[in-house]
Amino acid sequence: MNNPVLNAQLERYHRLIELSRNLASTLDLNQLLERILQSAADLCEAQEASILLYDNLKGELHFEAATNMDNALMRGFSVPMSSIAGWIVTNRKGVIINDAQNDSRLYSQVGAAINLSTRSLLGVPLQTQDKVIGAVEVINKLSGQFTNEDMVLLEALGGQAAVAIENSRLFQQSDLIAEFVHELRTPMASLNTAAHLMGRQEITEEQRSKMVEMIRNETNRLTELASTFLDLARLESGRAQFKSELGEVQPILTGSVEIMSGRAAERNISLETDISPNLPPLNLDRDKLKQVMLNLLSNAIKYNYPGGKVRLEAAQKDGEIVISVSDTGPGISEEALKHMFEKFYRVPGTEKLATGTGLGLSICKRIVEAHRGKINVTSVVGKGTTFTVHLPLPK
Ligand code: ADP
């Protein structure tokens, strides 16, 4: 076998098999997307690669990942079906464009989103046996032009990638659902007991009305659990859409404090703020960031003592905006601190202070990380707890 063209071809097929094996070995969606991108760019000798997924509900595509897109906020970036990726998904066919600037479908396609000038592009559908879930595109062949052989290889990779993405989604859902069902058991058991007791002749009117109240509380809790769970499931599966707009943090903070002020007053808790003036704007999703702040403030009020304090601070520091929410509640032990951002985790003993789902902080973490930020917690038992959110300034 001394035919160099044939040898090179075989070598590429060999690499494809290795890459496919590599894809099959992870169920973590982010890691998987990362591997697909690297594999696609490597295999087709391209400058960049991107993955767009199809949203059934909205009937549009959105960016899911790209080699030069480190920002999860880009995930919300929607791409119309009139784009090249839209054409690929609609026609279930690959496309090679070696003169991209003159193609009317280019739209702002990849360029605007990831700050890149597209010369050439090769895209194929991400296709399982029965459906197309999106498209993978490679941009700018490093030397020469994209060929049919590149397309055949990328199509094969696209098929493997689509199956791996589907598997990972199913796995994540089943994992989360298993935990959710487990969490349903306690409220279900309480409801069952209440129903059973209410059927007894001998219970007093007072006991009966207590039982009714308990049923009401438990059903409220179940409703909250269901909607919070759906929120988290959306974030975990990557289906949550993030907006990315340059916006001010300050109104989000003051707005959140205003919303929570009634609840603080009810519990006789003072709510103080110290927000630096002139905080620079950030790329953010206003509603999602507000959700984080409301959750932290609500926790600081819930897990606090009557007459206690809650303090919100925000300042710019070392290329970040640092926001902290401190309380004068019971504090959290070192052992419990390790588990704070785990799904359904509740610090033992806090059930007595307030009802909760143990999902809020997992949601906060996902949202903050989608902003390329970090969230952490410090606490002193008997003194109180501080949650701190670090949001990086735009580069
Ligand atoms: P929820 O409050 O709905 O249970 P979270 O995920 O927001 O869910 O919080 C998880 C758990 O962390 C709470 O149940 C509580 O045990 C503990 N926790 C959260 N915030 C505080 C706080 N400020 N002080 C003490 N414990 C807290």
Side-chain angles (χ1 to χ4, degrees), residues 79-256:
V79 175
M81 294 307 285
S82 56
S83 63
I84 294 172
W87 187 94
I88 295 169
V89 168
T90 312
N91 294 284
R92 299 184 167 221
K93 264 194 222 156
V95 64
I96 296 176
I97 298 170
N98 274 319
D99 181 14
Q101 290 306 323
N102 285 326
D103 195 299
S104 65
R105 291 166 300 184
L106 190 69
Y107 160 68
S108 58
Q109 187 67 8
V110 184
I114 53 181
N115 217 346
L116 171 79
S117 154
T118 307
R119 288 190 315 275
S120 55
L121 182 151
L122 158 63
V124 300
L126 281 168
Q127 191 162 213
T128 61
Q129 219 162 24
D130 52 355
K131 64 178 172 189
V132 179
I133 62 166
V136 54
E137 294 180 340
V138 289
I139 298 132
N140 296 348
K141 179 92 175 174
L142 291 178
S143 75
Q145 304 208 315
F146 287 119
T147 61
N148 271 331
E149 195 198 316
D150 290 330
M151 182 145 93
V152 170
L153 285 170
L154 193 61
E155 269 168 356
L157 183 75
Q160 302 282 347
V163 172
I165 291 174
E166 285 286 89
N167 280 345
S168 140
R169 281 175 166 173
L170 286 172
F171 176 74
Q172 281 182 5
Q173 276 170 12
S174 64
D175 206 26
L176 197 60
I177 287 169
E179 285 183 74
F180 178 63
V181 170
H182 182 78
E183 289 301 311
L184 289 181
R185 287 188 191 177
T186 317
M188 288 301 200
S190 313
L191 287 173
N192 194 15
T193 311
H196 182 75
L197 288 176
M198 280 181 77
R200 306 272 290 242
Q201 299 289 321
E202 68 272 25
I203 67 163
T204 64
E205 210 35 56
E206 196 192 338
Q207 283 170 324
R208 196 180 300 272
S209 65
K210 265 199 186 139
M211 225 72 82
V212 169
E213 195 188 322
M214 192 191 98
I215 290 175
R216 207 166 280 140
N217 286 341
E218 287 298 335
T219 45
N220 283 345
R221 224 173 77 72
L222 279 171
T223 313
E224 194 196 331
L225 186 64
S227 68
T228 320
F229 170 79
L230 281 177
D231 234 17
L232 182 66
R234 252 181 240 119
L235 285 163
E236 291 221 326
S237 67
R239 278 177 297 129
Q241 303 272 305
F242 277 84
K243 294 198 189 96
S244 174
E245 292 161 344
L246 202 62
E248 301 286 337
V249 172
Q250 191 262 341
I252 298 176
L253 301 180
T254 45
S256 308

Side-chain angles (χ1 to χ4, degrees), residues 224 295-296 299-300 302-303 327 329-332 340 342 345-348 350-351 355-362 385 387:
E224 194 196 331
N295 194 75
L296 295 182
N299 281 351
K302 275 196 321 192
Y303 305 110
D327 62 59
I332 301 165
M340 292 308 287
E342 287 170 14
Y345 181 76
R346 302 201 69 202
V347 176
T350 47
E351 306 91 345
T355 60
T357 61
L359 291 176
L361 289 172
S362 306
T385 302
F387 282 88

Side-chain angles (χ1 to χ4, degrees), residues 280-301:
L282 290 181
N283 284 320
L284 48 81
D285 183 313
R286 209 167 280 142
D287 293 338
K288 294 224 170 43
L289 213 52
K290 193 161 182 180
Q291 190 180 350
V292 172
M293 294 323 302
L294 288 175
N295 194 75
L296 295 182
L297 288 168
S298 155
N299 281 351
I301 296 166

Side-chain angles (χ1 to χ4, degrees), residues 297-362:
L297 288 168
S298 155
N299 281 351
I301 296 166
K302 275 196 321 192
Y303 305 110
N304 208 328
Y305 301 115
K309 270 192 208 151
V310 171
R311 188 175 167 81
L312 180 141
E313 291 181 19
Q316 180 180 347
K317 206 178 160 204
D318 304 331
E320 295 179 328
I321 292 184
V322 182
I323 306 164
S324 64
V325 177
S326 314
D327 62 59
T328 53
I332 301 165
S333 73
E334 227 162 279
E335 177 49 36
L337 275 179
K338 292 183 209 153
H339 305 285
M340 292 308 287
F341 297 99
E342 287 170 14
K343 282 176 290 216
F344 297 110
Y345 181 76
R346 302 201 69 202
V347 176
T350 47
E351 306 91 345
K352 280 178 264 151
L353 286 172
T355 60
T357 61
L359 291 176
L361 289 172
S362 306

